[in-house]
Amino acid sequence: MTMKMAMDTGADALLPGLGDPVIDSQRVFRAVLDAMARPGTLHELPQAVAGSVGAPAPFEAATAAVVLALADQETPVWLDPSADCAAVRQHLRFHCGCPLTGNAAAAVFAVVADPGAMPPLSAFDQGSDEFPDRSTTVIVQVPALTGGAPLELAGPGIRDRVRFAPGGLPAGFRRWVADNHAGFPRGVDLILTSGARLAALPRSTRLEG
Amino acid sequence: MYVAVKGGEKAIDNAHRLMAEERRGDPAVPELGLDQIAEQLGLAVDRVMTEGSVHDRELAALAVKQAQGDLVEAVFLLRAYRTTLPRFGGSEPIDTAAMAIRRRISSAFKDLPGGQVLGPTYDYTHRLLDFTLAAEGTPEPAALAEQPVEAQMPRVADVLGHEGLIERSVEADGPANATAEEPPGDLTRQPLSFPAGRDLRLQNLARGDEGFLLALAYSSQRGYGNTHPFAGEIRMGDVTVEFAPEELGFAVEIGTITVTECQMINQFKGSKDVPPQFTRGYGLTFGQSERKAMAMALVDRSLRAGELGEDAVNPVQDEEFVLAHSDNVEASGFVQHLKLPHYVDFQSELELIRRLRAATPTADRETAE
Amino acid sequence: MTSAPGYNFAYLDEQTKRMIRRAILKAVAIPGYQVPFGSREMPLPYGWGTGGIQVTAAVIGPEDRLKVIDQGADDTTNAVSIRRFFARTAGVATTERTAAATVIQTRHRIPETPLSEGQILVYQVPIPEPLRWLEPRETETRKMHALADYGAMHVKLYEDIARFGRIATTYDYPVLVNGRYLMRPSPIPKFDNPKMNMNPALQLFGAGREKRIYAVPPYTPVKSLDFEDHPFEIQSWDQACALCGGTDSFLDEVVTDDRGGRIYVCSDTHHCATRRDAVQEAAE
């Protein structure tokens, strides 16, 4: 199967995946886990991963690494229009074998590379009251994880409060995050990436102020 | 002074060595070969393959040997090995209508196309200990049939199906409102949730403990949820397994396996939507595991009580009860985990009981007397 | 880093690890909710820590340092067996020092030494469902969680008070996580329950046979159920540890003879040893 894909795509230069798929996946996962466990805090991909992972445009290193570490045949992935290009599709199909879906509400992972034009969080799978885990994890690649409109975060994973100011997000973003939390236990979980860094905003996080 | 117990590591190593010695037994007695187990304890191997969910006679024989003949332990060994195997995909459905028959009986019809084929069975042996086996006697050769088994051997349920007397099989027609393309679920990849579809139920039962299914099936025959069963057909023989690799685009034969299939035919008086007809219960196992296949078919049919609008009040009709407790690897592990230390919990209970007794002096005296 | 020949790093194949990792992330995002996962058969029996082992295998990396305890002790047979499993299949460094460990797998105890940020505590869980003894059906308990309908548990605890004058649950004492999900803390003594509350470490729970993973993120409120007139309280002992003299840790009772002789020793072996060393140092 791998051979067939390699032949199909052989004409174009295929970018590498994770340098050491076993160990790098573990390292990327730990960065994401740490981010999810401490919402709003910034986490850096290990140097070895950031330096070796192939990132087809418009993906940056952290976006590519997170998808490769977590997605596979069992997880339909939705790409926003800016990411839905031949290079990205080919990269994900080859390295993750994940099915791509055009239906945001059916995606296990969604990747947004153009946050300014992103759909509202309610467009994704919210899970159900019985199975709230069956909801989309939305990966949003932003121009910067600092310097944007500040959000005051509180909730599990946060001792007192955390200030988080990702940039490049649409005006309605703050509202979407508040609504997403209000629907708890249903809701989506966000992983924000930029360059080789990432942070997370799980549904359990509430906005203060 | 008191010194806490230490040396767990050394004790474990020594326990393992002792167990290996016990397994081998008297070294003056020749060691069992895997071929001997596969050939001469074939039914044990079949059971281990079925409940272990791996068709590999040699590995199953190794598991039986390593477990000193403890079949539940052998199933566990095979399952743990299965976890580490890469998955290439799912095979095409096997076609039991095209089986190379070695045994085929029906208790519903006296004769039918292809006839009754008794084949290898203990059914009519008189259960007398055979002392010639103890003396390593050679069995009398079985006479060859005067004519070969007929190639056309339609399944009994299909025969009834032509007349519309039995419900149509989901396998043949596909469920009414599901796309035929939807692949069957796999409970070894996604945990079971309830209600489970019939695909997952059958997978669960096929992996389920034979003793557990046997007892449940038996209970249904004794009034705890009667299903009015007839052994429509039991067939055992060889079927080919085909696999369609994605890069090839068509199916190729990758081997032949022996399976036992049981189709139970059950009376059904009909409901407001469905006319009176026979219904089905289905059992399938690797190798020759007839008791298991029959028990499975009875339990499968019993678990359809809800779907067929029957009262579901007995254990065998309770999907959650049956499917959650059928797996002997899970059951064996959890029952036996009580051997692990529970000092902390017990200490907590001890403290509570003492406190409660101190608070109720009368009860204290009564139990003391 | 060496791992056992023929097997992947930390035993599990990569697809299985990804599946478990996805479940862990959802568990962290929904504190206290039990995420179903495709638990695999492990080479250790169900009921002997397969859930904890799968969680640890999905989390652990070559940079980690692993501590494994059972009943608080590093040297009980099952702890030894699990520690060895990871030393063999993942080649990771192991330790008995609580503060030095990055990942701690535990059965039935939370270490006495306070945990810190960045540490991960992995619990082995036999029965994850806190409502299971009250309602055996998964379909029903799932609805109760969806509606946060936990009245049955309060009734049960109140019946204890009516009958015994106190809540007669001493371990696996139910807790409410972040004010929403009722959670079983695994069979830790209620003595350990307060340690779960606002703990700086990440707490992950794995139930292999029951195929569930759940989590308590760092700094998350975890409240043991109680009543205003019967507040939650933990066990206490009149005795001190016979080895280190400590009076603030969970003590195991040891039978010393058949004439009623008893001594009490710390259940947390590393904590006890550390204190004995400190006492000795001070004396020298």
Side-chain angles (χ1 to χ4, degrees):
Chain A
M1 216 154 83
T2 313
M3 260 182 50
K4 177 189 166 232
M5 285 191 213
M7 284 187 295
D8 277 359
T9 55
D12 306 313
L14 187 68
L15 291 165
L18 293 166
D20 181 337
V22 174
I23 302 303
D24 287 355
S25 293
Q26 187 271 339
R27 289 177 173 145
V28 175
F29 164 69
R30 280 290 279 276
V32 176
L33 176 62
D34 214 9
M36 199 63 88
R38 296 192 287 145
T41 57
L42 307 188
H43 301 263
E44 186 99 26
L45 287 187
Q47 198 76 52
V49 179
S52 67
V53 67
F59 278 13
E60 292 165 7
T63 311
V66 169
V67 178
L68 261 53
L70 294 174
D72 60 27
Q73 306 85 291
E74 294 175 355
T75 58
V77 173
W78 178 88
L79 298 170
D80 80 343
S82 76
D84 192 7
C85 59
V88 168
R89 287 174 158 262
Q90 171 182 305
H91 191 74
L92 296 188
R93 283 223 178 93
F94 183 81
H95 290 296
C96 314
C98 56
L100 297 171
T101 175
N103 180 4
V108 171
F109 290 102
V111 189
V112 171
D114 179 8
M118 74 180 284
L121 297 180
S122 59
F124 301 101
D125 191 349
Q126 308 290 305
S128 62
D129 286 331
E130 266 93 10
F131 292 96
D133 57 301
R134 297 182 184 170
S135 72
T136 309
T137 300
V138 186
I139 299 156
V140 185
Q141 181 176 293
V142 292
L145 289 168
T146 54
L151 304 168
E152 284 280 319
L153 312 182
I158 301 165
R159 183 161 50 181
D160 303 308
R161 284 195 189 181
V162 157
R163 176 167 293 206
F164 181 42
L169 290 158
F173 186 74
R174 186 190 168 81
R175 191 58 211 256
W176 295 343
V177 171
D179 288 349
N180 188 50
H181 173 70
F184 189 92
R186 298 171 75 234
V188 302
D189 306 302
L190 296 166
I191 299 171
L192 289 91
T193 59
S194 187
R197 297 207 293 177
L198 59 94
L201 265 181
R203 71 192 82 176
S204 58
T205 300
R206 63 174 193 276
L207 299 183
E208 297 281 330
Chain B
M1 194 189 116
Y2 170 76
V3 179
V5 193
K6 284 262 181 192
E9 203 149 334
K10 206 167 163 192
I12 290 175
D13 280 339
N14 283 329
H16 290 172
R17 285 191 204 107
L18 191 58
M19 187 195 62
E21 258 177 41
E22 301 254 317
R23 177 198 293 128
R24 176 62 184 88
D26 182 351
V29 176
E31 186 172 350
L32 268 178
L34 297 190
D35 51 347
Q36 288 172 304
I37 295 170
E39 289 298 314
Q40 297 173 35
L41 297 176
L43 299 187
V45 168
D46 287 348
R47 177 174 174 192
V48 171
M49 291 196 303
T50 300
E51 293 173 27
S53 274
V54 174
H55 191 288
D56 188 315
R57 297 195 73 78
E58 200 179 335
L59 286 179
L62 172 60
V64 171
K65 177 175 177 175
Q66 190 177 329
Q68 286 178 275
D70 176 342
L71 298 190
V72 175
E73 179 72 19
V75 167
F76 178 20
L77 286 168
L78 205 54
R79 290 266 194 96
Y81 179 75
R82 184 186 192 274
T83 294
T84 68
L85 297 175
R87 300 169 72 82
F88 299 113
S91 72
E92 300 293 304
I94 56 169
D95 181 8
T96 52
M99 178 187 282
I101 297 276
R102 281 156 59 197
R103 168 165 165 79
R104 185 263 201 133
I105 56 163
S106 169
S107 65
F109 292 105
K110 187 173 181 184
D111 202 2
L112 64 165
Q116 309 260 12
V117 180
L118 206 51
T121 176
Y122 285 106
D123 284 354
Y124 302 102
T125 58
H126 294 155
R127 268 57 166 207
L128 304 169
L129 277 177
D130 181 354
F131 294 103
T132 61
L133 278 177
E136 295 178 22
T138 314
E140 214 175 296
L144 223 56
E146 282 156 22
Q147 53 204 32
V149 170
E150 280 177 43
Q152 286 302 314
M153 200 87 72
R155 290 178 296 203
V156 170
D158 297 343
V159 173
L160 281 172
H162 292 312
E163 225 183 310
L165 293 179
I166 191 164
E167 62 178 333
R168 308 203 59 171
S169 92
V170 181
E171 308 86 67
D173 310 330
N177 46 12
T179 55
E181 294 304 307
E182 190 146 333
D186 180 350
L187 59 81
T188 69
R189 314 300 294 177
Q190 296 292 329
L192 209 52
S193 59
F194 300 105
R198 196 168 181 213
D199 50 349
L200 292 170
R201 180 206 306 159
L202 290 172
Q203 184 189 14
N204 176 289
L205 297 179
R207 288 159 55 92
D209 182 73
E210 179 173 324
F212 178 71
L213 295 190
L214 181 65
L216 282 173
Y218 179 46
S219 75
S220 78
Q221 290 178 289
R222 287 195 66 261
Y224 290 85
N226 195 359
T227 60
H228 310 279
F230 295 94
E233 179 174 332
I234 295 154
R235 55 170 57 200
M236 184 274 290
D238 300 334
V239 294
T240 56
V241 179
E242 294 183 326
F243 180 69
E246 209 167 299
E247 60 264 41
L248 223 55
F250 57 87
V252 289
E253 193 179 316
I254 54 169
T256 301
I257 61 171
T258 302
V259 297
T260 301
E261 181 186 57
C262 172
Q263 293 245 27
M264 284 290 171
I265 298 173
N266 307 72
Q267 189 198 86
F268 178 59
K269 294 207 176 76
S271 64
K272 63 179 195 305
D273 308 316
V274 185
Q277 59 181 329
F278 292 109
T279 53
R280 301 165 190 255
Y282 188 76
L284 186 77
T285 68
F286 285 147
Q288 187 171 8
S289 306
E290 215 159 280
R291 187 192 305 119
K292 166 73 183 272
M294 293 178 74
M296 177 177 165
L298 287 173
V299 175
D300 171 45
R301 175 58 185 79
S302 296
L303 288 174
R304 299 180 58 203
E307 163 203 340
L308 294 167
E310 299 165 338
D311 287 340
V313 292
N314 298 292
V316 68
Q317 297 162 322
D318 184 332
E319 178 184 77
E320 209 177 315
F321 177 79
V322 172
L323 301 191
H325 301 114
S326 64
D327 193 287
N328 57 26
V329 178
E330 292 175 6
S332 165
F334 200 49
V335 166
Q336 296 199 66
H337 105 284
L338 293 174
K339 289 184 279 194
L340 290 179
H342 286 78
Y343 318 138
V344 169
D345 305 344
F346 188 71
Q347 187 62 50
S348 302
E349 291 291 89
L350 209 54
E351 193 246 15
L352 174 72
I353 295 285
R354 284 191 183 129
R355 227 178 254 261
L356 291 179
R357 286 174 68 99
T360 53
T362 40
D364 203 25
R365 245 177 287 128
E366 272 166 28
T367 45
E369 275 160 17
Chain C
M1 176 193 66
T2 51
S3 51
Y7 291 102
N8 193 20
F9 177 81
Y11 186 77
L12 296 174
D13 62 282
E14 289 306 298
Q15 199 181 334
T16 299
K17 284 189 206 162
R18 272 193 301 272
M19 176 271 297
I20 296 171
R21 286 168 182 163
R22 292 192 293 258
I24 292 173
L25 291 176
K26 285 299 177 193
V28 170
I30 317 168
Y33 165 77
Q34 304 161 48
V35 180
F37 81 109
S39 176
R40 308 285 194 249
E41 270 97 357
M42 299 300 286
L44 283 78
Y46 279 127
W48 299 54
T50 55
I53 291 169
Q54 289 181 80
V55 169
T56 298
V59 163
I60 206 162
E63 288 96 355
D64 280 309
R65 189 172 290 276
L66 175 71
K67 171 183 168 83
V68 183
I69 51 172
D70 188 338
Q71 314 297 301
D74 297 272
D75 54 6
T76 46
T77 42
N78 201 44
V80 168
S81 161
I82 291 170
R83 190 164 54 238
R84 264 189 172 187
F85 175 76
F86 283 109
R88 232 173 93 183
T89 60
V92 295
T94 59
T95 182
E96 296 194 1
R97 287 180 49 220
T98 302
T102 54
V103 178
I104 302 170
Q105 181 168 327
T106 180
R107 179 169 170 267
H108 296 193
R109 278 310 308 279
I110 298 174
E112 307 286 6
T113 310
L115 302 177
S116 53
E117 273 186 26
Q119 287 186 304
I120 299 177
L121 183 60
V122 179
Y123 296 75
Q124 301 171 202
V125 180
I127 302 276
E129 178 49 66
L131 300 162
R132 188 57 73 229
W133 304 155
L134 306 174
E135 169 52 63
R137 279 174 201 283
E138 164 72 13
T139 38
E140 290 302 316
T141 53
R142 187 162 288 283
K143 270 184 225 145
M144 292 158 86
H145 283 296
L147 301 168
D149 173 9
Y150 300 134
M153 182 58 88
H154 284 101
V155 170
K156 190 250 166 207
L157 296 179
Y158 206 81
E159 279 173 358
D160 274 7
I161 293 172
R163 200 165 153 218
F164 307 113
R166 68 183 68 238
I167 292 171
T169 299
T170 57
Y171 61 92
D172 222 342
Y173 190 104
V175 295
L176 199 65
V177 179
N178 197 35
R180 174 58 179 81
Y181 278 103
L182 189 66
M183 187 187 92
R184 234 175 144 129
S186 89
I188 56 170
K190 65 178 180 177
F191 178 88
D192 284 341
N193 274 25
K195 297 175 187 164
M196 307 182 83
N197 184 45
M198 296 302 278
N199 195 308
L202 170 62
Q203 304 173 67
L204 301 176
F205 299 77
R209 191 179 39 76
E210 298 282 340
K211 303 172 179 59
R212 297 289 184 273
I213 286 171
Y214 51 104
V216 174
Y219 304 115
T220 300
V222 176
K223 183 176 176 8
S224 303
L225 296 192
D226 63 358
F227 300 93
E228 248 171 51
D229 49 345
H230 282 91
F232 174 79
E233 52 182 28
I234 62 171
Q235 291 106 331
S236 59
W237 286 258
D238 303 331
Q239 301 84 352
C241 170
L243 299 178
C244 73
T247 54
D248 57 354
S249 74
F250 189 91
L251 300 179
D252 280 339
E253 182 172 334
V254 178
V255 179
T256 50
D257 56 44
D258 58 2
R259 298 178 306 277
R262 300 273 193 278
I263 59 164
Y264 290 80
V265 296
C266 288
S267 124
D268 184 332
T269 49
H270 168 255
H271 176 75
C272 190
T274 309
R275 192 146 52 189
R276 266 177 289 158
D277 289 348
V279 168
Q280 200 168 3
E281 244 169 65
E284 277 163 12

